[in-house]
Structure formats: structure tokens, C-alpha cells
């Protein structure tokens, strides 16, 4: 199977586990029906503590129980143990070894590469997705792909002002989705690491901050627009998340919420957790469980 676009959300729990008045409580004409028709997965894997991005994303990328490999939920960045797991079993690595065409569609600015170079030899600061693609020998900012910033046009930090100029931003994202669909037609897998939802989720507080709620809702509207462009141009799309966070802004930390696994034009099967769903992802490309 080829031409798949994987939207890997970070820190967005399933709407079924969100409180009233959450970021999900708004019209999302493309995103919400897709999520509602998909699967609602456990991200805790029976291990105490709050799920984290490092182990959660490694589960999706490898189809292995990375939490038990580590002995705990761990993140946000993969340390040596998870790095070894990703280097040997991550989906981009296995696909590249099989001769498949894969790309990470994130745009990385020069400051990102400067930070990696300045931190060389110290603790890894790359997330699982860029680490896995580099482990596969694949470049960041690949040529021929319309690159997308993970903030989807929102400012990185306060003030987010999510509603300012939003209509134009949504129109741009629809067109960007169409461009990504055209690029994906020449690939087997095109992945987008949409980590900004987790950053917004960490702005939560017991008295929900109004600006964080507005920005979180704006972010999901932007995901909705991107998805609309992708599907309108005929792309096959998978959507996932690694753990809960943004769906409950009453807390600044991660949550125990279940996470979405959705797809358009793809067989989702009947997974119950993020490990089983990672195995289904690999199965789309004819890869046996690692």
C-alpha cells in the first residue's frame, strides 16, 4: 500500500475522554467525523504513571511495547534505550531498508539544526519522529515535499491570538493539504509530526486559561483544514496520538485519556492500544511485527 499520509498528533486525547467545554467542543466538520468513526485506544498499557511522548511515539513507530522496554513511561525525547529500539525497528527504518519511499514533511528551521549541533554529545533533544527518520538515513526538510511547520501557523508562544487572520490561515492549510496529497502520491509514506498540541496542553491550569483554550481550539480547526485539503485531493490518511493532554486543559500535565486512531481509505482493524495500532501501521506496508 502506498500514498499514505500519517498525521501523528502529540498530546491530543480522544474526545470521548474530554471534559465538557474542551477543545473538541466546536464544529470540526472533517476531523471529528473521522475521529468518531475510528478507534479509541489505551495509551497507559497497564503501567502506572502518565503516558509520555518518548515511549508513546515509540509504540506507534515500532509496534513494540516501548513502555515495558523502558520499564516505565518515559519522555519527551528518546534516550539510549529507545534510540536503539527506533534504530532497529522504527517504521521509517524498516521501510527504507525495504526500498520504500518515505519522508517526514515537517519544516525544521535553521535554529533547530544549530541546536542539534550545539548539543552534540549531550542528551538527545530530538523527538522520536525526526530521530527515526534520521536513523533511516533520510533527510529532514526533504526536497520535493511542501514542508509544514508543526504550529500550523500559530505563534510558538504566548500571545497565540488564534483567531487573528484565521480564515486566511485555514484556507492556506486546505491548499497545503492538497499539495501534500500530491506529494504523497509519489511516496509510500509521508508523515507529519504534529507536536504543537502537546505544547499547548502544557499551558493548562485548574482554572482553564482562556487563551490556551482559544489556541487549542484554533489548532484543531487548523488540523481540520489540513485534513480537509488532504481528503479533498484524494489522499489516504491515518491519524494518531501518543497520549492525552490538550483535551483536558484543567491540568498542565499529561492525562490518562484514551487516544484516537483514525483513517480514511485504510483498514484500521480492531486494536485496543497504541502497540497494536503500531503493528497495524506496519501491516499496511506488508511488514510483519518486528
Amino acid at each position: 500500500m502506498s500514498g499514505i499520509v500519517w498525521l501523528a498528533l502529540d498530546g491530543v486525547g480522544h474526545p470521548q475522554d474530554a471534559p465538557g467545554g474542551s477543545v473538541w467542543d466546536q464544529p470540526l466538520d472533517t476531523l471529528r467525523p473521522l475521529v468518531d468513526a475510528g478507534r479509541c485506544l489505551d495509551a497507559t498499557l497497564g503501567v502506572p504513571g502518565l503516558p509520555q511522548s518518548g515511549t508513546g511515539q515509540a509504540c506507534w513507530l515500532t509496534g513494540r511495547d516501548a513502555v515495558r522496554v523502558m520499564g516505565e513511561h518515559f519522555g519527551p525525547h528518546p534516550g539510549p534505550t529507545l534510540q536503539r529500539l527506533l534504530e532497529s525497528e522504527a517504521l521509517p527504518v524498516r521501510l527504507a531498508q525495504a526500498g520504500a519511499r518515505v519522508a517526514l514533511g515537517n519544516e525544521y528551521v535553521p535554529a533547530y539544526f544549530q541546536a542539534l549541533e550545539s548539543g552534540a554529545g549531550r542528551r538527545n533533544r530530538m523527538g522520536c519522529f525526526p530521530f527515526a527518520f534520521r536513523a533511516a538515513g533520510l533527510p529532514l526538510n526533504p526536497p520535493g515535499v511542501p514542508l509544514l511547520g508543526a504550529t500550523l501557523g500559530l505563534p510558538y508562544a504566548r500571545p497565540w491570538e488564534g483567531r487573528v487572520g484565521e480564515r486566511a490561515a485555514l484556507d492556506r492549510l486546505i491548499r497545503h493539504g492538497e499539495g501534500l496529497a500530491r506529494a504523497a502520491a509519489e511516496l509510500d509514506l509521508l508523515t507529519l509530526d504534529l507536536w504543537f498540541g502537546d505544547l499547548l496542553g502544557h499551558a493548562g491550569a485548574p482554572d482553564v486559561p482562556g487563551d490556551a483554550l482559544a489556541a487549542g481550539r484554533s489548532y484543531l480547526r487548523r488540523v481540520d483544514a489540513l485534513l480537509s485539503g488532504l481528503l479533498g485531493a484524494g489522499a489516504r490518511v491515518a491519524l494518531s496520538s501518543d497520549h492525552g493532554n490538550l483535551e483536558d486543559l484543567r491540568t498542565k500535565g499529561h492525562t490518562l485519556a484514551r487516544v484516537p486512531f483514525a483513517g480514511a481509505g485504510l483498514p484500521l482493524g480492531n486494536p485496543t492500544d497504541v502497540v497494536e495500532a503500531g503493528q497495524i501501521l506496519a501491516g499496511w506496508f506488508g511488514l510483519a511485527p518486528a
Side-chain angles (χ1 to χ4, degrees):
M1 193 176 293
S2 63
I4 295 173
V5 180
W6 179 10
L7 302 182
L9 301 179
D10 189 336
V12 182
H14 198 282
Q16 288 186 17
D17 289 353
S22 79
V23 293
W24 285 109
D25 285 346
Q26 60 173 323
L28 297 165
D29 295 339
T30 305
L31 176 61
R32 187 61 189 268
L34 189 77
V35 168
D36 287 345
R39 307 292 181 264
C40 189
L41 304 181
D42 171 57
T44 69
L45 301 172
V47 175
L50 296 174
Q52 301 294 324
S53 295
T55 42
Q57 292 173 11
C59 289
W60 280 104
L61 282 160
T62 66
R64 288 275 307 277
D65 189 339
V67 179
R68 283 182 169 75
V69 170
M70 281 296 301
E72 62 180 343
H73 297 288
F74 181 85
H77 307 109
T81 300
L82 291 181
Q83 289 175 34
R84 289 191 293 271
L85 178 63
L86 293 168
E87 287 168 345
S88 61
E89 300 182 29
L91 183 59
V93 172
R94 298 178 70 198
L95 287 174
Q97 290 172 345
R101 303 158 300 169
V102 292
L104 182 62
N106 286 60
E107 180 180 21
Y108 294 94
V109 299
Y112 179 83
F113 294 102
Q114 292 166 6
L116 292 181
E117 292 173 5
S118 65
R122 298 196 291 271
R123 182 179 176 182
N124 169 59
R125 305 303 295 176
M126 276 192 293
C128 285
F129 282 93
F131 183 90
F133 276 82
R134 287 192 28 160
L138 299 165
L140 303 185
N141 291 349
V145 175
L147 303 174
L148 183 65
T151 71
L152 303 185
L154 284 169
Y156 179 77
R158 285 181 165 107
W160 293 296
E161 299 176 350
R163 290 188 292 270
V164 175
E166 186 174 76
R167 184 64 260 169
L170 296 180
D171 289 341
R172 285 195 297 270
L173 283 163
I174 291 171
R175 293 194 299 272
H176 204 113
E178 294 167 348
L180 286 167
R182 290 190 291 270
E186 304 299 321
L187 299 167
D188 295 290
L189 176 66
L190 175 58
T191 301
L192 290 166
D193 176 19
L194 299 180
W195 48 261
F196 194 57
D198 187 53
L199 187 147
L200 291 173
H202 285 300
D207 183 12
V208 175
D211 64 340
L213 180 60
R217 286 178 170 168
S218 178
Y219 188 69
L220 287 192
R221 289 194 293 271
R222 291 163 189 249
V223 174
D224 182 77
L226 179 67
L227 181 62
S228 176
L230 284 163
L231 297 184
R236 285 191 284 212
V237 177
L239 182 141
S240 68
S241 183
D242 51 359
H243 57 77
N245 187 353
L246 182 62
E247 84 292 341
D248 189 352
L249 286 169
R250 300 172 302 182
T251 174
K252 69 179 296 182
H254 295 178
T255 71
L256 298 173
R258 294 169 295 173
V259 295
F261 176 41
L266 297 165
L268 298 180
N270 294 294
T272 61
D273 60 40
V274 294
V275 174
E276 293 174 359
Q279 294 168 1
I280 286 171
L281 283 176
W284 292 339
F285 302 98
L287 298 177

